[in-house]
Amino acid sequence: MLEMAVIYLAAAIVAVPIAKRLGLGSVLGYLIAGIIIGPFAFGLVGDQTDVMHFAEFGVVMMLFLVGLELQPSRLWKLRHSIMGLGGLQVLLTSALFFAIGYFILNLRWETSLAIGLMLALSSTAIVLQTLNEKGWIKQEAGQNAFSVLLFQDIAVIPILALLPLLAFTQIGNVDVASSHGNLIEHFPVYAQVLISLATIAAIVFAGKYISTPLFRYIAETRLRELFTLFALFLVIVIAVIMKKIGLSSALGTFLAGVVLAESEFRHELEVDIEPFKGLLLGLFFITVGASIDFPLLIAQFSNVMLFVVGLIAIKALVLYILAYVFKMKSKQQLLFTLALAQGGEFAFVLLSLTSTLQILSVEQTKLTTLVVAISMLMAPLLLMFYDKVINREDNSQKSFDKPEQIEATKNVIIAGYGRFGQVIGRLLTAQGYHLSILDHSPSQIELLRRFGNKVFYGDAARLDLLTASGANEAQLLVIAIDDADKVLQIATMAKKYYPHLKIVARAIDRRHAYQLMHLGIETFKRETFDSALNLGVEALTLLGNDQADAKRAGEIFAKHDNESLTALADLWGDDHSYGVAVKQRTEDLQQVLNNDKSEQDRLNTCRKSNGSTCDDTEESTSTTPVNTSN
């Protein structure tokens, strides 16, 4: 067993970085690793059935994490695209494949329907992984693709319930329950439905009202490994329960994730589950690559490739029509189409059941497995085609300004001139400083120039463009971009090539602030901190607090939070120590504010009694809480 683990890990370590470096993505790297160690290449591993059953938990954990990111309110907003777009995709695609199988390939109607339902599903693992890697998940196509995938996962429930009924026409009273572990198969249909609904309701209830106290109890032990153990236990138990009643394990854990999306422990769960999800997903893709039947591919190469091309073409046709009907933008239509035009991992789950039920013959099962696996192998290539050809052509319609076209400055360079950068730029311009402004958004450049702003189209992360802006002689670089990674990239380059250049940066959040501090950037502002703090001061005023007291509380909070940011920077990454320190700092802040409030109350009482004689005392004591080091 250890030898097998070494083989899988070594294959991934070699193949995935190479694939990433070539721009192929991690998913294709795992698939290639599986092919290399599979029977066709080096033959280092054999049958993948048992390993795949274990690796499927990667898909289950991925959907749990997806659920954690989806608050019920956001899920409700997606209801139209989930039911409308997702429902039509599954229905139309299944119908087309059924017609082809029954009328053209002369398959039994049960077989045609089963294959149609399986091929209608796309790869949740590949699509979400790739969309997240490329940053497309928040685009229109990414959100709609997610809705379709979500409906497909939900659709697995009726499909699993339907397949045993299809088997009855062929094999009569087969003991299905004993063949795949469904504990409620022998109950009447209405009882199965009630048990399924009760189980889902129990998962939702437990996630909402029982899990939080348990997580809080375990967190108080301050044993992180115990928290991780309970998180894994939760995911696996839900998956097993759902599987035992014949429902989708992935759907069960997804629902649990949605319920826990508003929990105070959501972030801890994400951190603990993420490494296991990544490892198991990688293992899943390796097993898919290793299970490809190349002897069958060679023997029936023309038929297999015809089926693969047909699968992708038919799904792409349906997806493109739906994207057009639902009025997506032209570029987003193509991304949506190419993202979902492949088979999915749930097809392998359904194939194992149809094989047991004898709905598909052994040969049909092998051929369908091969077609789905190859289509999944091509999925990253389709998205890479979109990224390198379609997306690149769209982005290259307007090239960056040439270095000689950019006006250099000896004062201030501003990288990024959106809402954040414009406020800084207007202030500096009003004070007489000359600016050289770079922005990499064509639409933003067009808008700014329309209002008479002198802004150059360029990426400040490019050394030649930053140099052309005057970095060799400028006094200050303002990095106001809303992309955390890009900010770090520009800051790193500027520190290396222009050490004399003072740098101020826009921090996206607290984590980004710590990363900037580790680079030696000490002057930065968290983009929402000041506005949120000012609104908090207004909230205190509306709650009846004196305006001066509310403002003072805001100043104390700001000073204490900035001190905490510096004090806790070295602990970032050590979740346990950081969590303990944060809790202590929060208690200290409450104590400081309470002490200050008590002092202000004492001074107010003193003024009422003695008039202005308390002013000197106030002046001497008012700064004490602000200067505390706690």
Side-chain angles (χ1 to χ4, degrees):
M1 194 66 184
L2 288 176
E3 290 82 358
M4 293 288 290
V6 169
I7 293 172
Y8 282 112
L9 292 173
I13 290 171
V14 172
V16 174
I18 295 176
K20 287 278 286 184
R21 188 173 293 273
L22 295 176
L24 302 179
S26 61
V27 173
L28 192 55
Y30 285 119
L31 291 172
I32 293 172
I35 293 173
I36 292 173
I37 65 176
F40 180 76
F42 291 100
L44 301 177
V45 296
D47 182 43
Q48 298 293 293
T49 304
D50 293 335
V51 179
M52 183 171 287
H53 287 162
F54 177 73
E56 284 167 2
F57 272 106
V59 181
V60 169
M61 290 183 176
M62 181 189 66
L63 286 174
F64 178 73
L65 291 177
V66 169
L68 283 176
E69 293 294 333
L70 269 186
Q71 295 181 342
S73 57
R74 182 184 174 196
L75 194 59
W76 179 251
K77 290 179 182 179
L78 295 174
R79 66 189 185 280
H80 296 299
S81 56
I82 291 173
M83 300 304 297
L85 190 58
L88 285 173
Q89 184 274 326
V90 172
L91 180 63
L92 294 176
T93 308
S94 300
L96 279 175
F97 284 125
F98 170 79
I100 293 172
Y102 186 67
F103 294 107
I104 298 178
L105 300 179
N106 296 318
L107 300 175
R108 293 186 303 114
W109 74 265
E110 298 93 340
T111 302
S112 300
L113 182 56
I115 291 177
L117 292 170
M118 285 185 283
L119 298 185
L121 306 177
S122 303
S123 175
T124 301
I126 289 179
V127 175
L128 290 185
Q129 181 105 339
T130 307
L131 291 179
N132 277 309
E133 283 184 1
K134 298 293 185 180
W136 296 332
I137 192 65
K138 294 183 179 180
Q139 296 183 9
E140 181 185 17
Q143 290 294 292
N144 284 310
F146 174 79
S147 298
V148 171
L149 291 169
L150 182 55
F151 183 88
Q152 290 177 359
D153 293 335
I154 296 173
V156 172
I157 295 175
I159 294 174
L160 286 170
L162 177 63
L163 291 180
L165 299 179
L166 297 180
F168 291 156
T169 63
Q170 177 70 16
I171 60 176
N173 56 354
V174 171
D175 184 7
V176 178
S178 63
S179 62
H180 67 279
N182 189 336
L183 298 180
I184 66 172
E185 184 67 29
H186 295 299
F187 287 91
V189 175
Y190 74 88
Q192 295 182 39
V193 173
L194 290 176
I195 293 173
S196 300
L197 292 176
T199 302
I200 293 175
I203 290 174
V204 173
F205 178 83
K208 191 171 183 64
Y209 298 106
I210 300 178
S211 62
T212 298
L214 287 175
F215 277 121
R216 190 176 294 118
Y217 172 76
I218 292 174
E220 288 175 354
T221 65
R222 301 189 184 278
L223 296 175
R224 185 178 176 184
E225 63 273 17
L226 188 59
F227 192 94
T228 304
L229 183 65
F230 183 69
L232 289 173
F233 173 80
L234 177 69
V235 174
I236 295 174
V237 164
I238 293 173
V240 170
I241 291 174
M242 295 293 282
K243 186 175 182 180
K244 288 298 182 181
I245 62 172
L247 298 181
S248 168
S249 300
L251 177 65
T253 51
F254 172 79
L255 288 175
V258 172
V259 173
L260 291 170
E262 296 180 344
S263 168
E264 61 190 278
F265 298 102
R266 177 169 68 90
H267 296 295
E268 287 84 348
L269 286 170
E270 287 177 334
V271 171
D272 287 338
I273 297 294
E274 181 69 33
F276 298 96
K277 183 268 294 184
L279 287 172
L280 290 174
L281 267 184
L283 180 61
F284 175 81
F285 292 126
I286 291 176
T287 58
V288 171
S291 63
I292 295 178
D293 192 339
F294 281 94
L296 178 61
L297 174 62
I298 294 172
Q300 300 190 34
F301 182 79
S302 58
N303 288 334
V304 171
M305 296 312 298
L306 178 64
F307 290 146
V308 172
V309 173
L311 166 63
I312 295 175
I314 291 171
K315 294 190 74 171
L317 175 64
V318 173
L319 290 164
Y320 189 81
I321 291 174
L322 290 174
Y324 178 80
V325 171
F326 278 76
K327 298 181 180 180
M328 296 185 205
K329 298 176 183 177
S330 57
K331 178 182 168 185
Q332 295 296 302
Q333 290 175 5
L334 293 173
L335 175 57
F336 175 77
T337 299
L338 294 176
L340 299 172
Q342 81 289 124
E345 54 274 356
F346 282 118
F348 300 122
V349 178
L350 297 174
L351 277 168
S352 63
L353 179 57
T354 55
S355 177
T356 302
L357 298 172
Q358 301 178 19
I359 300 174
L360 272 67
S361 65
V362 176
E363 293 75 14
Q364 290 170 340
T365 299
K366 288 183 178 181
L367 184 60
T368 306
T369 301
L370 184 59
V371 171
V372 172
I374 293 178
S375 74
M376 291 174 66
L377 191 65
M378 294 181 66
L381 297 177
L382 293 174
L383 289 172
M384 187 175 68
F385 169 76
Y386 171 83
D387 189 29
K388 301 297 184 182
V389 179
I390 300 173
N391 199 35
R392 182 175 181 178
E393 287 178 356
D394 183 79
N395 290 334
S396 62
Q397 290 176 359
K398 185 181 186 311
S399 58
F400 287 150
D401 290 329
K402 295 179 180 179
E404 57 269 21
Q405 296 174 314
I406 298 176
E407 182 179 324
T409 182
K410 293 185 179 181
N411 295 146
V412 182
I413 301 170
I414 298 184
Y417 211 59
R419 293 170 297 175
F420 196 93
Q422 287 177 47
V423 173
I424 302 173
R426 287 162 53 197
L427 174 62
L428 295 177
T429 301
Q431 293 295 312
Y433 291 97
H434 179 252
L435 310 180
S436 182
I437 304 170
L438 292 175
D439 197 285
H440 67 279
S441 171
S443 59
Q444 182 72 2
I445 293 289
E446 182 181 353
L447 177 64
L448 291 168
R449 287 178 176 175
R450 192 185 308 164
F451 288 95
N453 293 283
K454 196 170 186 179
V455 183
F456 300 101
Y457 181 44
D459 183 358
R462 279 181 47 173
L463 183 62
D464 57 337
L465 297 185
L466 191 59
T467 302
S469 300
N472 285 317
E473 296 181 305
Q475 299 171 278
L476 181 69
L477 169 63
V478 179
I479 310 176
I481 296 172
D482 63 353
D483 184 330
D485 293 334
K486 182 70 72 174
V487 171
L488 295 173
Q489 183 182 356
I490 296 172
T492 302
M493 184 179 68
K495 294 281 287 184
K496 179 178 180 181
Y497 292 101
Y498 312 107
H500 71 283
L501 195 60
K502 298 182 178 67
I503 300 174
V504 297
R506 171 185 185 177
I508 306 303
D509 51 27
R510 201 176 193 89
R511 176 183 180 182
H512 190 213
Y514 288 136
Q515 292 173 322
L516 288 170
M517 293 171 69
H518 288 160
L519 286 178
I521 309 298
E522 297 181 354
T523 308
F524 56 83
K525 277 291 183 182
R526 287 167 282 167
E527 59 182 13
T528 59
F529 180 79
D530 287 336
S531 57
L533 182 61
N534 290 334
L535 190 59
V537 171
E538 293 292 334
L540 287 173
T541 305
L542 291 174
L543 289 170
N545 292 272
D546 182 77
Q547 187 171 9
D549 291 341
K551 183 178 179 181
R552 180 180 174 80
E555 293 172 350
I556 294 174
F557 179 91
K559 183 174 180 63
H560 190 277
D561 191 78
N562 287 325
E563 290 175 350
S564 296
L565 193 68
T566 303
L568 300 178
D570 292 336
L571 297 178
W572 181 255
D574 184 349
D575 290 348
H576 176 70
S577 300
Y578 184 82
V580 172
V582 166
K583 185 176 180 180
Q584 182 60 51
R585 298 288 301 185
T586 302
E587 293 174 354
D588 292 345
L589 175 60
Q590 292 174 344
Q591 185 62 44
V592 169
L593 289 172
N594 288 336
N595 290 343
D596 182 75
K597 189 175 186 304
S598 299
E599 180 64 18
Q600 293 303 310
D601 291 340
R602 187 189 68 78
L603 291 172
N604 289 334
T605 302
C606 181
R607 290 193 201 101
K608 290 178 181 179
S609 302
N610 305 319
S612 60
T613 57
C614 298
D615 291 346
D616 293 339
T617 307
E618 177 185 4
E619 183 178 356
S620 64
T621 60
S622 61
T623 57
T624 303
V626 180
N627 293 330
T628 181
S629 60
N630 288 337

